[in-house]
Amino acid sequence: MDPIVHRSVLLGAVLAVTLAASPLFAASADDYYAEARAHLAKGEIKSAIIELKNALQADPTHVQARVALGTLHLRNADGAAAAKEFSRARELGALADLWMLGYARALVLQGEFRQLLEETSPDADLPDLQKAELLALRGNAHLALREVDAAVKEYDAALELQSGNAMARLGKAQVLLAANHEDEALEQLNEVLAEDPGHVESRLVRGDLLRRMQRLDDARVDYERAAKDAPNNPRAHIGLALVHIVQRDVDAAKRDLEVLDRITKGTLPALNYLRALVSFQEGDYGRASDELQSLLRVAPSNLQAQLLYGIVSYAREEYTLADDYLSRVLSSVPGNSQVIKLVGAARLKLKQPDRASEVLESVVSDETQDAQLLALLGTAYIQMGDNERGARLIERAVELDPDQALLRTQLAVGKIATGDTSEAISQLESAVALGQDVVQADVLLVLSYLNKREYEKAIAASQALEARMADSPIPQNLTGLAYLAQRQFDLAREHFNAALKKDPKFLVARMNLARVAMVEQKPDVADAAYDEVLRIDPKHLGAMLGKAQLARERGDQKGVQDWLLKANQANPAAIRPIMILAETYLRQNEGLKAVNMLSDLSPDQARLPPVLRLKGMAQLQSGDFVSAVLTLKELTDVAPSVEAWFQLARAYAAKGDSAAAREAFKQSVALDTAYKAPIALVGLGELELREREFQSALAVGETLQQRYPGLVYGYDVAAAAYRGLGQVEKSIDIARRALEIEYTAQRVDAFAKALAAAGNRSESQKVLRDWLGKHPDDGKVWATLGMVSQQAGQDREALKAYEESLRFAEPDAVLANNMAWLYLEHDRERAIELATKAYELAPSRAEIVDTYGWVLFRSGRKNDGLAALQQAMIIAPRNPEIALHVGEALIDMRRDAEARPVLERVARDNPDTDFAKSARALIAKLRG
C-alpha cells in the first residue's frame, strides 16, 4: 500500500506562529527569515528556501527558520531533508506542535514507518487536530507494516478527536478493502468526500473501488474530479484510461494516454502497458507486442505485462512464446484458473495434451463449475485416448453452459490492472477467444444442439461424427443421447450398446443405459446397469449416486444414506455425496446433522458457494443464528447473488438484527436487475411489517405490484401495510384485487375474515358462498362461513355451516368451541360433546376451557363446571368474561363470599365496560 501523505499545514501558518515567538537570536537571522516570508507570500518558493538557509547559516539555532525550511522540503516531497530540519528543531527544544507532525510526514515520505512509531507520540502536548492527524499518520505506518489491528486502533483514536479526519477515514476504508468489504469501504470514502470533496487521495481510491465494482461511469466522475484538482497526478489519468479501455472508447483512452505522456515526460512504465491494451482492443497485435517488449526490457518481472504478452502472443499464433510467458505468470499466481485456462489452451494448440492436462487437472474437481476448464481438460483427455473421462467432462461442460464450453468469449481487461505495474496481479479476469479448434468442437456442437433441444440437428451432426471417428465410442454415445432426448428408447439403447462394443470400459454409455431404464421406470434394469458399472469401477461416483436415487424412489431412506456414505468413503475428495446427504437431512428437518456433515470438509471445499449456502441454511434451521450470519456473510463475500443476500437477510432477521436484515434484503433486491426473484422484495416487505414500518412496507408493496403485476405478493404486502396504518377500506380493496389474481381457498378464507373484521359480513358471506358453490366439500371454508354467521347473530345459519364443515373435516378446537356455545340453549348433550372435544384439543387455551366449564355448569354438572371455570381463570387471570362466569357460578352455588372479590376486581380493573356493569349488578344481587 502506498504511504499516504497529507500536507495540510500551510507554510504561512507555520511562519506566522513561529515569528510570534520572542526573538532570541541575532537580528541578521531574523532579517533573512522575514525575507523568506516575503518571498513565500509571492509564491517564490526557491527564493524563500535560499533565505531560510541564509538565516540558519547566520544562526544555526533559529528554530522558526528550521521549522519553516522543513515544511518547504515537505512541500517539495523531499522527505530526507525535511526530517533533518524537524529533527534539529526537536533537538533545539522546539515545542512538539512545531516539529512532530512535520517530522512524522517526512518519515512517511521516506518509508521509515517503524522509526515514525518509535519517535512520535500521540500523548505529546499537541492541539486535538494535530494529534488526530498524527494518530492517522501512525495508523498509516502500522498499515504499511501490515499491523492491521494496531492501525485500526490509531484510526479510531484519530476519529474520536476529529470525526471528519480524512486520512483516518481513508485508512479505515483501505483496511476494509483489503478484507474485501467493498460496500463498507465505499461508505467510509463517501463520508470523507462528503465533508471534503477536494480530498484527492480519497477521490482516487474511491475511483479505483468503483471501477473494481464495475460502476464505470461513477468511477470516471471521480477520476475526472481528481484530474481537475490535481492535474499532474498520474493516477487520475491512469484511472481514466482504464475506464475508457474497459468501455472500449479507444479514442478517449488515447487522449488520456497523451495527457499521461505529457505530465510524466514519457518515463512512466504503465504507459507502455496501457498503450498495449489499447492496441490489443484495436486488433493491432504487432503494436501491442512492441509496447510490451519495451516494458519487459525495463521490467522483466512485471506480471501484468507478462500476462498480456502471453495473450498477445497467443492471438498472433506464437504458441510457444505464449506458453512460456503464461507459464511464468502461473508460477507467480499458482491456482489462478484464468491463467491455467490460457496455458492449457496454448499447450493444446502445440499438440501437447499431456502437458495441458497436467496444468488443468490442478484446478478441476467434481465441484468445478467453469465450463471452459471442463471442456479444455475433456479435450485433453480425448486427445490422449481417454474417451471415458473426456466425454464425461465435456458433457458436464455443456450442461453448465454450452456457449462458454464452445469458448466464444472475448478478452476482458476490466480488472486486469490498477496502474501500478510494479505490483503483482491482484485480479485476473482475462480470457481470450481461444478458437473452437482448441477443444473437441464437433463433440461440443452435438451437445450444444441437445442442450437447445434441436434434436434433428444433433442427430445429423453426431451421425456425421460417427463417420469421422469410426473407432471412437463417443459419436455413438452422442447419437444415443439425441434419441433418448426424443424418448426413442430402443434407438437410444442401440447406440449406447454400440458405443460399448467399441469400448467396453466406456462407462458413460453404460450410465446412459441406466438413464434410459430410469426414464422407462424400470428400476431393476437401472439397478443392474449401476451394478455392472460398479463391477468395472467399484468407486464410480455416478453409479453410487444412482443407487442412492433408486433407494429414495423406493422410499428406502436408510438405503439412501448408506449409498451416500459409501460414495463419500470411496470418493473422499468428492463433495456431491456430502452435499446430497446434507440436503437430505435438511429436508428431514435435521439441520444439526446437516451442519455436522458439512463440518468435515476440507478448507477449500468449505469455502465453495454451494457448501456455504447449504451450511448457512442448516445453521438457520438448527437455531444457530450467529453462525448462520457468519457463514452466509462469507457466501455474499465470495459469491454475491440474489439468493445469497436473501438468505443472509433471513439469518439477520432470525438473529434479531433488523437493521442488518433490511440492508441485506436491499442488496438482494438491487442484484435482481432482471426482476426474477420477487421473494427478495417480499422478505423486505415482511420485515417492514414486523417492524411496524408501515409506510416503508407500503412502498415495497407498490414496487412489487409494478415489477410483478401478475403476482399477488405486492398486493398482500400493501394490504397488510394499509391495515397497519388503520386504512381498512384500502386494505380490503387491495386484497380484493389480489383475490382476482389468485382465487384459492386460502385466499378466499383470509379475505372473508378481513371483510367480517371490518364489519362487512354480508359481502364476507357472499364471498364464502360463491366459493362453496364451486367447492362444496371445502370443510375449512364452511367453518369460516359458520363463524361469520355466528358473529352476525345468525345462529341457525351458523350451525348449518358448522355441521357441513364436520362432514368434510375433523373439527378443530375453535370450531368445536363455537358450536358448543350455539348448541347450549338447544341441545345440551351435543353442547357437552363438542365442548369436551374442544377441551381435549386445546386444554391450555383459556377461552376453550371457559366454554367447557360454562357448558358443564349450565348443563347441571356444577362442581365440574366451576372447577373448569376456575382453571380457565388461572390460565387467564385478567380475562373479565371468564371472571364473570366464575363469579356467577359461585353465586349460583351460594358461595357469595368467594364471588365478591372476584366481581369487585372485574369492576375495578375494567371501568366503563359492559363487564364492569355486569359485575356491579351481580354485586348488588349479593347485597340484596
Side-chain angles (χ1 to χ4, degrees), residues 207-429:
D208 292 342
L209 173 56
L210 291 168
R211 181 166 54 82
R212 197 161 89 185
M213 297 169 76
Q214 293 297 297
R215 291 172 55 179
L216 299 177
D217 289 336
D218 293 335
R220 189 185 67 248
V221 170
D222 273 344
Y223 290 136
E224 287 174 346
R225 172 64 189 269
K228 179 182 177 183
D229 292 344
N232 292 323
N233 190 318
R235 283 181 58 193
H237 299 286
I238 290 172
L240 278 172
L242 285 169
V243 166
H244 289 136
I245 289 170
V246 176
Q247 292 178 329
R248 298 192 176 276
D249 188 345
V250 173
D251 291 337
K254 286 181 175 179
R255 289 193 295 272
D256 297 326
L257 297 183
E258 288 173 3
V259 174
L260 196 57
D261 190 20
R262 187 174 65 252
I263 64 175
T264 62
K265 296 180 172 55
T267 61
L268 187 68
L271 265 171
N272 296 109
Y273 179 75
L274 294 169
R275 285 177 183 145
L277 282 178
V278 170
S279 297
F280 190 95
Q281 283 196 334
E282 291 183 304
D284 187 348
Y285 303 136
R287 172 69 184 275
S289 179
D290 291 344
E291 292 286 355
L292 290 166
Q293 287 179 45
S294 297
L295 174 56
L296 288 166
R297 277 195 292 271
V298 297
S301 61
N302 185 294
L303 284 179
Q304 292 165 302
Q306 289 177 352
L307 174 66
L308 190 55
Y309 190 51
I311 293 171
V312 168
S313 299
Y314 188 101
R316 300 182 75 192
E317 301 183 2
E318 297 173 344
Y319 301 122
T320 300
L321 201 56
D323 182 21
D324 179 19
Y325 273 89
L326 293 169
S327 297
R328 294 186 200 182
V329 175
L330 187 58
S331 66
S332 297
V333 285
N336 186 288
S337 63
Q338 300 294 349
V339 180
I340 285 172
K341 231 184 276 186
L342 295 169
V343 173
R347 292 177 180 178
L348 286 174
K349 286 283 193 179
L350 291 167
K351 307 300 181 186
Q352 298 173 355
D354 52 340
R355 291 185 68 233
S357 65
E358 179 185 352
V359 69
L360 292 164
E361 282 173 344
S362 67
V363 289
V364 173
S365 68
D366 288 340
E367 290 72 53
T368 298
Q369 300 292 302
D370 189 316
Q372 286 187 345
L373 280 173
L374 295 171
L376 286 165
L377 183 55
T379 294
Y381 285 151
I382 290 172
Q383 288 184 12
M384 293 165 66
D386 191 341
N387 293 317
E388 159 69 20
R389 284 201 293 175
R392 196 188 310 165
L393 286 173
I394 289 179
E395 281 190 27
R396 278 180 58 197
V398 174
E399 286 173 6
L400 285 170
D401 189 335
D403 289 331
Q404 279 286 326
L406 283 167
L407 303 172
R408 289 174 176 155
T409 56
Q410 298 299 317
L411 177 69
V413 296
K415 299 180 183 177
I416 199 173
T418 60
D420 184 353
T421 57
S422 65
E423 292 191 358
I425 298 170
S426 60
Q427 295 186 49
L428 294 170
E429 293 191 354

Side-chain angles (χ1 to χ4, degrees), residues 704-724:
L704 274 164
Q705 292 171 53
Q706 293 165 5
R707 294 185 182 180
Y708 311 97
L711 301 178
V712 296
Y713 307 124
Y715 299 94
D716 288 343
V717 172
Y722 277 127
R723 190 163 56 249

Side-chain angles (χ1 to χ4, degrees), residues 95 151 221 238 306 363 399 405 472 529 595 715 760 768 862 880 885:
L95 296 175
V221 170
I238 290 172
Q306 289 177 352
V363 289
E399 286 173 6
S472 172
V595 172
Y715 299 94
N760 195 348
L768 294 166
K862 294 187 176 182
H885 287 161

Side-chain angles (χ1 to χ4, degrees), residues 153-196:
K153 186 176 178 182
E154 301 275 16
Y155 292 142
D156 287 340
L159 291 170
E160 281 185 21
L161 290 172
Q162 183 189 10
S163 62
N165 187 283
M167 193 191 307
R169 287 206 177 278
L170 177 58
K172 291 197 74 171
Q174 290 173 312
V175 170
L176 291 166
L177 281 174
N180 292 319
H181 295 159
E182 293 181 345
D183 292 327
E184 295 171 53
L186 188 58
E187 286 181 18
Q188 289 282 347
L189 293 167
N190 289 343
E191 289 186 26
V192 173
L193 292 168
E195 291 191 20
D196 184 1

